[in-house]
């Protein structure tokens, strides 16, 4: 999020990878969910992430929209065309079904996290 906000606010063009998929979660949401997990009786491995997967390009466009920045500065690009051509894993998303069952609610979406980040940002 900060990468896109900082660069787009400065008018810098950036690449948005269309073939890297992420489930980014806002830090405030992450802390809240971890606190709920600590207070639960659950054990084992859980993925605490947003409930929806998006490409980095889609994420950047969502950030631009929420922060009223120029999304046209984001160029869609594949990893092979950029600096990540040797990366093998491009789907970095995590499944949050287990943590949602444990806590009894869905994890926040990426859009909800982006909007919360905007609302929490100092003026």
């Amino acid at each position: 999020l900060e990468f896109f906000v900082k660069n787009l606010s400065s008018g810098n063009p950036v690449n948005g990878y269309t073939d890297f998929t992420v489930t980014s979660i806002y830090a405030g949401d992450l802390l809240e969910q971890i606190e709920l997990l600590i207070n639960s009786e659950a054990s084992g491995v859980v993925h605490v992430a947003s409930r929806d997967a998006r490409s980095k390009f889609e994420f950047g466009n969502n950030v631009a929209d929420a922060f009223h920045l120029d999304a046209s500065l984001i160029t869609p690009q594949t990893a092979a065309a950029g600096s990540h051509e040797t990366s093998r894993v491009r789907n970095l998303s995590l499944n949050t079904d287990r943590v949602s069952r444990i806590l009894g609610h869905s994890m926040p979406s990426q859009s909800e996290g982006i909007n919360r980040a905007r609302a929490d940002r100092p003026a």
Side-chain angles (χ1 to χ4, degrees), residues 37-80:
L37 280 169
I38 289 169
N39 293 325
S40 76
E41 298 294 321
S43 63
V45 176
V46 296
H47 297 155
V48 182
S50 67
R51 69 176 177 256
D52 55 337
R54 295 191 179 165
S55 72
K56 289 187 176 189
F57 176 73
E58 292 168 320
F59 182 81
N61 277 281
N62 293 146
V63 170
D65 289 344
F67 283 80
H68 308 290
L69 299 170
D70 186 1
S72 72
L73 292 170
I74 306 170
T75 302
Q77 185 176 43
T78 63

Side-chain angles (χ1 to χ4, degrees), residues 76-95:
Q77 185 176 43
T78 63
S83 61
H84 300 285
E85 64 186 67
T86 59
S87 296
R88 286 187 162 79
V89 177
R90 294 204 174 92
N91 184 347
L92 306 173
S93 63
L94 300 172
N95 184 311

